Amino acid sequence: MGCSCQLMQDTPLLWFPRRFVLLVGLFQMCSGIVEEVSKSVKEKVSLSCGYNFSPEEQSILRIYWQKHDKMVLSVISGVREVWPEYKNRTFHDNTTYSLIILGLGLSDRGTYKCVVQKSERGVYEVKHLASVKLSIKADFPTPNITQCGDPSANTKRIKCFASGGFPEPRLSWLENGRELNGINTTVSQDPESELYTISSQLDFNTTYNHTIECFIAYGDAYVSENFTWEKPPEDPPDRNDTTVLIWIGLSAVIGAAIIFILAVYLVSYKHRSCCRRRNEASRETNSRLYIGPAEASAEETV
């Protein structure tokens, strides 16, 4: 895209605030976004100026790269100047004058404008204006799920953690499409990189199987990770414990048998005692009723 807008002064804009304000106004009138570029954090980018440069005119050109209302880089009569914020990581292509930025950070996102001025009859005129919108992505890595203790019997705690993403994330615990209640959920942002870190914990019952998903959404993107828990098989009874149980059982049976035998013996003993007492009482009664032989009775009658 190009347009012809003549500046009132031919002094480079970086030394004159008035000229700088005028140039911003020209951007608003003449430029439009002709390209959109998306990159990830720590990558490099090349933003095209979109102007066909000829070798013979480079000595009479001024090229300015600006982000919003701040200067980034200028090339005047072949001499490059980079503003402090972009030092040691910003360059230009000597042929196309594309703006090259290394080690991108979230702060680099925004709209960049390239303006080309050309000397015509001793006056610098704006020959070309172009805008490039740069979007910076910061994708979260796959979340990391770890076990972090047993709060109580039959309860286990897991933790989901992810760092290095943008924009602000939201974490959900899911099982079979149902959202679970996480605990100790924290979200923090690094003040320099603007990248986010998120973590959350979840307690679950260990007496049955689980497939739990840690789901992190940020902007229109998301990452997730699954955690699987299988109920451990029950331990077989210990042989020593089995032997003890057998002996306890046998002892109980033997004890019950002994008690039964003693009970039977006591009942039998009581029965024999009763019978013996009845027999003795019967004999004693009979002895009291005895009146002597028959002959003695006859003599007394005579």
Side-chain angles (χ1 to χ4, degrees):
M1 172 182 175
C3 65
S4 179
C5 303
Q6 184 172 352
L7 298 180
M8 298 301 296
Q9 302 178 19
D10 59 359
T11 309
L13 78 91
L14 50 137
W15 288 289
F16 283 85
R18 179 184 172 188
R19 179 66 170 280
F20 176 74
V21 174
L22 178 59
L23 189 57
V24 172
L26 288 172
F27 282 154
Q28 295 174 345
M29 290 185 295
C30 302
S31 66
I33 296 176
V34 297
E35 185 179 3
E36 292 189 9
V37 178
S38 179
K39 290 290 182 179
S40 296
V41 169
K42 299 181 180 180
E43 289 185 343
K44 75 172 183 178
V45 67
S46 177
L47 305 179
S48 174
C49 187
Y51 181 77
N52 295 322
F53 295 91
S54 60
E56 61 273 9
E57 67 176 351
Q58 291 187 11
S59 61
I60 57 174
L61 293 178
R62 291 175 178 175
I63 298 94
Y64 300 101
W65 273 102
Q66 174 184 338
K67 177 190 173 187
H68 302 310
D69 59 349
K70 296 182 179 180
M71 287 297 301
V72 177
L73 177 147
S74 68
V75 182
I76 300 174
S77 299
V79 179
R80 181 187 68 194
E81 181 171 357
V82 179
W83 266 246
E85 184 180 348
Y86 297 90
K87 286 280 189 183
N88 302 321
R89 67 185 189 96
T90 304
F91 310 91
H92 75 281
D93 184 285
N94 291 325
T95 303
T96 64
Y97 291 93
S98 296
L99 182 68
I100 301 171
I101 305 175
L102 307 178
L104 289 171
L106 290 174
S107 60
D108 292 320
R109 66 190 185 276
T111 300
Y112 292 78
K113 296 183 174 71
C114 175
V115 57
V116 178
Q117 295 180 350
K118 184 177 180 181
S119 178
E120 298 284 354
R121 298 178 298 276
V123 178
Y124 278 93
E125 297 180 355
V126 176
K127 305 300 291 185
H128 175 76
L129 287 171
S131 297
V132 183
K133 183 177 180 180
L134 175 62
S135 300
I136 306 295
K137 299 185 300 181
D139 292 327
F140 279 94
T142 301
N144 184 31
I145 301 179
T146 58
Q147 299 184 36
C148 54
D150 304 319
S152 62
N154 298 327
T155 301
K156 188 170 289 292
R157 178 171 294 175
I158 56 177
K159 178 180 180 180
C160 182
F161 173 88
S163 181
F166 183 90
E168 184 174 356
R170 178 183 179 274
L171 188 150
S172 302
W173 293 100
L174 304 172
E175 184 172 25
N176 298 325
R178 180 174 61 92
E179 185 167 357
L180 308 176
N181 295 323
I183 58 175
N184 303 327
T185 300
T186 60
V187 180
S188 60
Q189 185 180 27
D190 185 271
E192 294 185 2
S193 67
E194 301 184 61
L195 299 177
Y196 284 92
T197 296
I198 189 168
S199 67
S200 181
Q201 296 178 343
L202 178 73
D203 293 343
F204 65 91
N205 192 316
T206 60
T207 59
Y208 54 91
N209 298 337
H210 294 275
T211 299
I212 300 171
E213 180 183 12
C214 174
F215 184 91
I216 299 176
Y218 57 104
D220 57 357
Y222 69 90
V223 290
S224 66
E225 179 68 322
N226 289 335
F227 174 84
T228 301
W229 170 264
E230 293 184 0
K231 176 186 175 183
E234 296 182 358
D235 295 330
D238 187 81
R239 291 185 177 181
N240 293 332
D241 294 340
T242 304
T243 302
V244 171
L245 292 175
I246 292 174
W247 277 111
I248 292 174
L250 289 175
S251 299
V253 172
I254 292 172
I258 292 173
I259 292 173
F260 177 77
I261 292 172
L262 288 174
V264 171
Y265 175 77
L266 289 174
V267 171
S268 176
Y269 177 78
K270 288 182 179 180
H271 178 73
R272 288 197 302 270
S273 296
C274 287
C275 290
R276 186 168 57 251
R277 284 195 297 270
R278 285 198 297 269
N279 292 336
E280 290 177 352
S282 177
R283 284 196 298 271
E284 183 178 354
T285 301
N286 292 336
S287 63
R288 289 176 182 175
L289 296 175
Y290 183 68
I291 57 176
E295 293 82 359
S297 299
E299 290 178 355
E300 291 178 357
T301 306
V302 176

